mmCIF file of all heavy atoms in Angstrom:
data_model
loop_
_atom_site.group_PDB
_atom_site.id
_atom_site.type_symbol
_atom_site.label_atom_id
_atom_site.label_comp_id
_atom_site.label_asym_id
_atom_site.label_seq_id
_atom_site.Cartn_x
_atom_site.Cartn_y
_atom_site.Cartn_z
ATOM 1 N N LEU G 8 38.006 -44.859 15.865
ATOM 2 C CA LEU G 8 36.918 -44.532 14.948
ATOM 3 C C LEU G 8 35.552 -44.580 15.630
ATOM 4 O O LEU G 8 35.347 -45.298 16.602
ATOM 5 C CB LEU G 8 36.899 -45.511 13.767
ATOM 6 C CG LEU G 8 38.148 -45.634 12.899
ATOM 7 C CD1 LEU G 8 37.906 -46.660 11.798
ATOM 8 C CD2 LEU G 8 38.548 -44.297 12.300
ATOM 9 N N PHE G 9 34.637 -43.804 15.071
ATOM 10 C CA PHE G 9 33.229 -43.817 15.452
ATOM 11 C C PHE G 9 32.467 -44.158 14.177
ATOM 12 O O PHE G 9 32.283 -43.309 13.307
ATOM 13 C CB PHE G 9 32.821 -42.452 15.995
ATOM 14 C CG PHE G 9 31.350 -42.289 16.275
ATOM 15 C CD1 PHE G 9 30.641 -43.244 16.975
ATOM 16 C CD2 PHE G 9 30.673 -41.139 15.854
ATOM 17 C CE1 PHE G 9 29.286 -43.080 17.243
ATOM 18 C CE2 PHE G 9 29.325 -40.963 16.118
ATOM 19 C CZ PHE G 9 28.624 -41.935 16.814
ATOM 20 N N ILE G 10 32.068 -45.426 14.026
ATOM 21 C CA ILE G 10 31.447 -45.895 12.788
ATOM 22 C C ILE G 10 29.932 -45.966 12.954
ATOM 23 O O ILE G 10 29.422 -46.736 13.767
ATOM 24 C CB ILE G 10 31.995 -47.272 12.371
ATOM 25 C CG1 ILE G 10 33.520 -47.195 12.180
ATOM 26 C CG2 ILE G 10 31.324 -47.758 11.096
ATOM 27 C CD1 ILE G 10 34.160 -48.532 11.833
ATOM 28 N N VAL G 11 29.235 -45.142 12.206
ATOM 29 C CA VAL G 11 27.764 -45.150 12.197
ATOM 30 C C VAL G 11 27.349 -46.028 11.025
ATOM 31 O O VAL G 11 27.507 -45.640 9.866
ATOM 32 C CB VAL G 11 27.198 -43.729 12.053
ATOM 33 C CG1 VAL G 11 25.673 -43.763 12.121
ATOM 34 C CG2 VAL G 11 27.765 -42.802 13.127
ATOM 35 N N ALA G 12 26.861 -47.224 11.331
ATOM 36 C CA ALA G 12 26.591 -48.226 10.300
ATOM 37 C C ALA G 12 25.097 -48.417 10.106
ATOM 38 O O ALA G 12 24.419 -48.987 10.965
ATOM 39 C CB ALA G 12 27.255 -49.549 10.676
ATOM 40 N N GLY G 13 24.582 -47.943 8.996
ATOM 41 C CA GLY G 13 23.165 -48.117 8.681
ATOM 42 C C GLY G 13 22.839 -49.579 8.439
ATOM 43 O O GLY G 13 23.736 -50.419 8.298
ATOM 44 N N PRO G 14 21.557 -49.930 8.383
ATOM 45 C CA PRO G 14 21.159 -51.329 8.183
ATOM 46 C C PRO G 14 21.658 -51.867 6.846
ATOM 47 O O PRO G 14 21.620 -51.180 5.831
ATOM 48 C CB PRO G 14 19.622 -51.267 8.227
ATOM 49 C CG PRO G 14 19.285 -49.841 7.894
ATOM 50 C CD PRO G 14 20.398 -49.026 8.465
ATOM 51 N N GLY G 15 22.150 -53.107 6.871
ATOM 52 C CA GLY G 15 22.592 -53.756 5.643
ATOM 53 C C GLY G 15 23.820 -53.137 5.012
ATOM 54 O O GLY G 15 24.079 -53.343 3.828
ATOM 55 N N SER G 16 24.604 -52.393 5.792
ATOM 56 C CA SER G 16 25.740 -51.655 5.229
ATOM 57 C C SER G 16 27.060 -52.407 5.308
ATOM 58 O O SER G 16 28.105 -51.858 4.990
ATOM 59 C CB SER G 16 25.879 -50.295 5.922
ATOM 60 O OG SER G 16 26.106 -50.456 7.310
ATOM 61 N N GLY G 17 27.021 -53.650 5.762
ATOM 62 C CA GLY G 17 28.222 -54.474 5.779
ATOM 63 C C GLY G 17 29.124 -54.240 6.967
ATOM 64 O O GLY G 17 30.334 -54.406 6.869
ATOM 65 N N LYS G 18 28.531 -53.917 8.123
ATOM 66 C CA LYS G 18 29.364 -53.607 9.295
ATOM 67 C C LYS G 18 30.129 -54.828 9.789
ATOM 68 O O LYS G 18 31.276 -54.707 10.233
ATOM 69 C CB LYS G 18 28.526 -53.023 10.422
ATOM 70 C CG LYS G 18 27.548 -53.966 11.079
ATOM 71 C CD LYS G 18 26.740 -53.243 12.129
ATOM 72 C CE LYS G 18 25.696 -54.166 12.737
ATOM 73 N NZ LYS G 18 26.152 -54.875 13.899
ATOM 74 N N THR G 19 29.528 -56.018 9.710
ATOM 75 C CA THR G 19 30.237 -57.215 10.148
ATOM 76 C C THR G 19 31.429 -57.488 9.236
ATOM 77 O O THR G 19 32.517 -57.837 9.698
ATOM 78 C CB THR G 19 29.299 -58.435 10.163
ATOM 79 O OG1 THR G 19 28.177 -58.168 11.010
ATOM 80 C CG2 THR G 19 30.026 -59.672 10.690
ATOM 81 N N THR G 20 31.232 -57.288 7.940
ATOM 82 C CA THR G 20 32.333 -57.437 6.984
ATOM 83 C C THR G 20 33.464 -56.478 7.317
ATOM 84 O O THR G 20 34.644 -56.848 7.317
ATOM 85 C CB THR G 20 31.839 -57.176 5.548
ATOM 86 O OG1 THR G 20 30.906 -58.196 5.172
ATOM 87 C CG2 THR G 20 32.997 -57.164 4.559
ATOM 88 N N VAL G 21 33.108 -55.238 7.631
ATOM 89 C CA VAL G 21 34.115 -54.235 7.977
ATOM 90 C C VAL G 21 34.863 -54.644 9.243
ATOM 91 O O VAL G 21 36.100 -54.553 9.297
ATOM 92 C CB VAL G 21 33.455 -52.851 8.162
ATOM 93 C CG1 VAL G 21 34.424 -51.869 8.821
ATOM 94 C CG2 VAL G 21 33.000 -52.299 6.816
ATOM 95 N N MET G 22 34.141 -55.090 10.259
ATOM 96 C CA MET G 22 34.792 -55.487 11.511
ATOM 97 C C MET G 22 35.743 -56.657 11.298
ATOM 98 O O MET G 22 36.874 -56.668 11.813
ATOM 99 C CB MET G 22 33.745 -55.836 12.568
ATOM 100 C CG MET G 22 33.008 -54.646 13.131
ATOM 101 S SD MET G 22 31.961 -55.080 14.543
ATOM 102 C CE MET G 22 33.175 -55.492 15.802
ATOM 103 N N VAL G 23 35.303 -57.659 10.540
ATOM 104 C CA VAL G 23 36.134 -58.833 10.290
ATOM 105 C C VAL G 23 37.400 -58.448 9.527
ATOM 106 O O VAL G 23 38.520 -58.827 9.898
ATOM 107 C CB VAL G 23 35.350 -59.910 9.516
ATOM 108 C CG1 VAL G 23 36.281 -61.043 9.086
ATOM 109 C CG2 VAL G 23 34.212 -60.457 10.355
ATOM 110 N N LEU G 24 37.222 -57.688 8.449
ATOM 111 C CA LEU G 24 38.381 -57.306 7.631
ATOM 112 C C LEU G 24 39.301 -56.352 8.375
ATOM 113 O O LEU G 24 40.516 -56.341 8.155
ATOM 114 C CB LEU G 24 37.913 -56.687 6.309
ATOM 115 C CG LEU G 24 37.178 -57.651 5.368
ATOM 116 C CD1 LEU G 24 36.760 -56.948 4.088
ATOM 117 C CD2 LEU G 24 38.058 -58.862 5.040
ATOM 118 N N LYS G 25 38.720 -55.562 9.260
ATOM 119 C CA LYS G 25 39.543 -54.662 10.075
ATOM 120 C C LYS G 25 40.425 -55.488 11.024
ATOM 121 O O LYS G 25 41.617 -55.202 11.190
ATOM 122 C CB LYS G 25 38.642 -53.720 10.862
ATOM 123 C CG LYS G 25 39.353 -52.520 11.479
ATOM 124 C CD LYS G 25 38.350 -51.490 11.943
ATOM 125 C CE LYS G 25 39.053 -50.294 12.567
ATOM 126 N NZ LYS G 25 39.950 -49.608 11.614
ATOM 127 N N ILE G 26 39.850 -56.518 11.631
ATOM 128 C CA ILE G 26 40.617 -57.408 12.504
ATOM 129 C C ILE G 26 41.723 -58.105 11.717
ATOM 130 O O ILE G 26 42.882 -58.171 12.153
ATOM 131 C CB ILE G 26 39.690 -58.446 13.159
ATOM 132 C CG1 ILE G 26 38.772 -57.774 14.191
ATOM 133 C CG2 ILE G 26 40.492 -59.570 13.827
ATOM 134 C CD1 ILE G 26 37.690 -58.684 14.745
ATOM 135 N N LEU G 27 41.390 -58.621 10.529
ATOM 136 C CA LEU G 27 42.376 -59.331 9.714
ATOM 137 C C LEU G 27 43.453 -58.394 9.199
ATOM 138 O O LEU G 27 44.617 -58.789 9.066
ATOM 139 C CB LEU G 27 41.673 -60.045 8.551
ATOM 140 C CG LEU G 27 40.688 -61.145 8.957
ATOM 141 C CD1 LEU G 27 39.987 -61.724 7.750
ATOM 142 C CD2 LEU G 27 41.411 -62.248 9.740
ATOM 143 N N LYS G 28 43.080 -57.151 8.936
ATOM 144 C CA LYS G 28 44.076 -56.161 8.519
ATOM 145 C C LYS G 28 45.052 -55.884 9.655
ATOM 146 O O LYS G 28 46.265 -55.723 9.440
ATOM 147 C CB LYS G 28 43.362 -54.891 8.067
ATOM 148 C CG LYS G 28 44.288 -53.787 7.559
ATOM 149 C CD LYS G 28 44.415 -52.697 8.603
ATOM 150 C CE LYS G 28 45.260 -51.537 8.105
ATOM 151 N NZ LYS G 28 45.474 -50.517 9.152
ATOM 152 N N TYR G 29 44.544 -55.812 10.891
ATOM 153 C CA TYR G 29 45.427 -55.630 12.043
ATOM 154 C C TYR G 29 46.464 -56.755 12.111
ATOM 155 O O TYR G 29 47.630 -56.522 12.415
ATOM 156 C CB TYR G 29 44.618 -55.634 13.344
ATOM 157 C CG TYR G 29 43.806 -54.386 13.599
ATOM 158 C CD1 TYR G 29 42.518 -54.473 14.133
ATOM 159 C CD2 TYR G 29 44.314 -53.117 13.331
ATOM 160 C CE1 TYR G 29 41.766 -53.336 14.386
ATOM 161 C CE2 TYR G 29 43.570 -51.970 13.573
ATOM 162 C CZ TYR G 29 42.294 -52.089 14.096
ATOM 163 O OH TYR G 29 41.559 -50.962 14.346
ATOM 164 N N LEU G 30 46.037 -57.980 11.811
ATOM 165 C CA LEU G 30 46.908 -59.141 11.927
ATOM 166 C C LEU G 30 47.929 -59.221 10.797
ATOM 167 O O LEU G 30 49.125 -59.404 11.036
ATOM 168 C CB LEU G 30 46.071 -60.422 11.955
ATOM 169 C CG LEU G 30 45.106 -60.599 13.125
ATOM 170 C CD1 LEU G 30 44.228 -61.827 12.906
ATOM 171 C CD2 LEU G 30 45.857 -60.735 14.432
ATOM 172 N N PHE G 31 47.435 -59.096 9.559
ATOM 173 C CA PHE G 31 48.292 -59.348 8.403
ATOM 174 C C PHE G 31 49.072 -58.119 7.927
ATOM 175 O O PHE G 31 50.130 -58.264 7.316
ATOM 176 C CB PHE G 31 47.453 -59.899 7.241
ATOM 177 C CG PHE G 31 46.967 -61.295 7.462
ATOM 178 C CD1 PHE G 31 45.657 -61.538 7.821
ATOM 179 C CD2 PHE G 31 47.826 -62.377 7.326
ATOM 180 C CE1 PHE G 31 45.192 -62.827 8.025
ATOM 181 C CE2 PHE G 31 47.375 -63.680 7.530
ATOM 182 C CZ PHE G 31 46.063 -63.910 7.881
ATOM 183 N N VAL G 32 48.558 -56.929 8.199
ATOM 184 C CA VAL G 32 49.215 -55.711 7.722
ATOM 185 C C VAL G 32 49.941 -54.981 8.854
ATOM 186 O O VAL G 32 51.089 -54.559 8.702
ATOM 187 C CB VAL G 32 48.209 -54.758 7.041
ATOM 188 C CG1 VAL G 32 48.892 -53.473 6.574
ATOM 189 C CG2 VAL G 32 47.530 -55.453 5.861
ATOM 190 N N ASP G 33 49.265 -54.863 9.995
ATOM 191 C CA ASP G 33 49.826 -54.075 11.102
ATOM 192 C C ASP G 33 50.644 -54.907 12.094
ATOM 193 O O ASP G 33 51.212 -54.355 13.034
ATOM 194 C CB ASP G 33 48.701 -53.357 11.860
ATOM 195 C CG ASP G 33 47.928 -52.405 10.970
ATOM 196 O OD1 ASP G 33 48.562 -51.718 10.146
ATOM 197 O OD2 ASP G 33 46.688 -52.353 11.088
ATOM 198 N N ASP G 34 50.672 -56.230 11.891
ATOM 199 C CA ASP G 34 51.438 -57.133 12.764
ATOM 200 C C ASP G 34 50.992 -57.059 14.225
ATOM 201 O O ASP G 34 51.804 -57.187 15.148
ATOM 202 C CB ASP G 34 52.940 -56.829 12.681
ATOM 203 C CG ASP G 34 53.517 -57.159 11.310
ATOM 204 O OD1 ASP G 34 52.854 -57.891 10.562
ATOM 205 O OD2 ASP G 34 54.619 -56.677 10.998
ATOM 206 N N ILE G 35 49.710 -56.849 14.458
ATOM 207 C CA ILE G 35 49.176 -56.845 15.820
ATOM 208 C C ILE G 35 49.025 -58.286 16.293
ATOM 209 O O ILE G 35 48.512 -59.137 15.558
ATOM 210 C CB ILE G 35 47.803 -56.126 15.876
ATOM 211 C CG1 ILE G 35 47.928 -54.678 15.370
ATOM 212 C CG2 ILE G 35 47.226 -56.173 17.276
ATOM 213 C CD1 ILE G 35 48.760 -53.792 16.248
ATOM 214 N N GLU G 36 49.462 -58.564 17.503
ATOM 215 C CA GLU G 36 49.320 -59.913 18.049
ATOM 216 C C GLU G 36 47.843 -60.225 18.291
ATOM 217 O O GLU G 36 47.095 -59.370 18.783
ATOM 218 C CB GLU G 36 50.089 -60.044 19.367
ATOM 219 C CG GLU G 36 51.596 -59.951 19.223
ATOM 220 C CD GLU G 36 52.170 -61.126 18.460
ATOM 221 O OE1 GLU G 36 51.566 -62.237 18.518
ATOM 222 O OE2 GLU G 36 53.206 -60.948 17.800
ATOM 223 N N PRO G 37 47.402 -61.447 17.960
ATOM 224 C CA PRO G 37 45.987 -61.802 18.142
ATOM 225 C C PRO G 37 45.467 -61.592 19.558
ATOM 226 O O PRO G 37 44.325 -61.159 19.755
ATOM 227 C CB PRO G 37 45.953 -63.292 17.753
ATOM 228 C CG PRO G 37 47.096 -63.461 16.827
ATOM 229 C CD PRO G 37 48.165 -62.536 17.331
ATOM 230 N N ASN G 38 46.287 -61.877 20.575
ATOM 231 C CA ASN G 38 45.819 -61.739 21.952
ATOM 232 C C ASN G 38 45.744 -60.291 22.411
ATOM 233 O O ASN G 38 45.361 -60.015 23.541
ATOM 234 C CB ASN G 38 46.703 -62.541 22.910
ATOM 235 C CG ASN G 38 48.125 -61.987 22.999
ATOM 236 O OD1 ASN G 38 48.536 -61.215 22.152
ATOM 237 N ND2 ASN G 38 48.849 -62.383 24.023
ATOM 238 N N SER G 39 46.110 -59.357 21.505
ATOM 239 C CA SER G 39 46.007 -57.931 21.814
ATOM 240 C C SER G 39 44.709 -57.325 21.301
ATOM 241 O O SER G 39 44.489 -56.121 21.434
ATOM 242 C CB SER G 39 47.199 -57.171 21.198
ATOM 243 O OG SER G 39 48.415 -57.622 21.736
ATOM 244 N N ILE G 40 43.856 -58.166 20.691
ATOM 245 C CA ILE G 40 42.623 -57.684 20.069
ATOM 246 C C ILE G 40 41.408 -58.158 20.865
ATOM 247 O O ILE G 40 41.260 -59.346 21.162
ATOM 248 C CB ILE G 40 42.513 -58.172 18.613
ATOM 249 C CG1 ILE G 40 43.706 -57.675 17.797
ATOM 250 C CG2 ILE G 40 41.196 -57.712 17.992
ATOM 251 C CD1 ILE G 40 43.753 -58.236 16.387
ATOM 252 N N LEU G 41 40.532 -57.217 21.189
ATOM 253 C CA LEU G 41 39.274 -57.512 21.872
ATOM 254 C C LEU G 41 38.129 -57.003 21.012
ATOM 255 O O LEU G 41 38.102 -55.833 20.627
ATOM 256 C CB LEU G 41 39.232 -56.814 23.234
ATOM 257 C CG LEU G 41 37.885 -56.834 23.985
ATOM 258 C CD1 LEU G 41 37.586 -58.242 24.477
ATOM 259 C CD2 LEU G 41 37.903 -55.861 25.155
ATOM 260 N N ALA G 42 37.194 -57.885 20.675
ATOM 261 C CA ALA G 42 36.037 -57.499 19.860
ATOM 262 C C ALA G 42 34.766 -57.996 20.527
ATOM 263 O O ALA G 42 34.635 -59.190 20.807
ATOM 264 C CB ALA G 42 36.146 -58.076 18.450
ATOM 265 N N THR G 43 33.855 -57.087 20.816
ATOM 266 C CA THR G 43 32.606 -57.477 21.471
ATOM 267 C C THR G 43 31.407 -57.098 20.610
ATOM 268 O O THR G 43 31.455 -56.153 19.828
ATOM 269 C CB THR G 43 32.443 -56.804 22.847
ATOM 270 O OG1 THR G 43 32.078 -55.426 22.667
ATOM 271 C CG2 THR G 43 33.713 -56.886 23.657
ATOM 272 N N THR G 44 30.345 -57.864 20.775
ATOM 273 C CA THR G 44 29.070 -57.513 20.185
ATOM 274 C C THR G 44 27.981 -57.865 21.181
ATOM 275 O O THR G 44 28.270 -58.419 22.241
ATOM 276 C CB THR G 44 28.859 -58.204 18.832
ATOM 277 O OG1 THR G 44 27.689 -57.690 18.197
ATOM 278 C CG2 THR G 44 28.755 -59.710 18.980
ATOM 279 N N TYR G 45 26.726 -57.563 20.863
ATOM 280 C CA TYR G 45 25.691 -57.602 21.901
ATOM 281 C C TYR G 45 25.109 -58.987 22.158
ATOM 282 O O TYR G 45 24.821 -59.338 23.298
ATOM 283 C CB TYR G 45 24.564 -56.628 21.557
ATOM 284 C CG TYR G 45 23.764 -56.238 22.766
ATOM 285 C CD1 TYR G 45 24.210 -55.254 23.636
ATOM 286 C CD2 TYR G 45 22.567 -56.879 23.071
ATOM 287 C CE1 TYR G 45 23.495 -54.904 24.765
ATOM 288 C CE2 TYR G 45 21.835 -56.531 24.195
ATOM 289 C CZ TYR G 45 22.299 -55.551 25.040
ATOM 290 O OH TYR G 45 21.589 -55.216 26.160
#
């Protein structure tokens, strides 16, 4: 995805829930996930 997130649009919420969805729904192993911010 290419997510263009305007100010105050809940991008951190989206990133967190996306990570948790990978874990609980997609059965992705935690050590297979890399998330960076500035």
Side-chain angles (χ1 to χ4, degrees):
L8 302 180
F9 173 48
I10 301 177
V11 183
S16 61
K18 68 183 177 91
T19 303
T20 294
V21 167
M22 287 188 69
V23 172
L24 294 180
K25 194 166 180 61
I26 290 172
L27 296 176
K28 182 256 183 184
Y29 286 140
L30 297 173
F31 289 103
V32 179
D33 300 320
D34 293 343
I35 302 293
E36 293 293 331
N38 66 344
S39 298
I40 301 174
L41 170 70
T43 75
T44 188
Y45 201 81

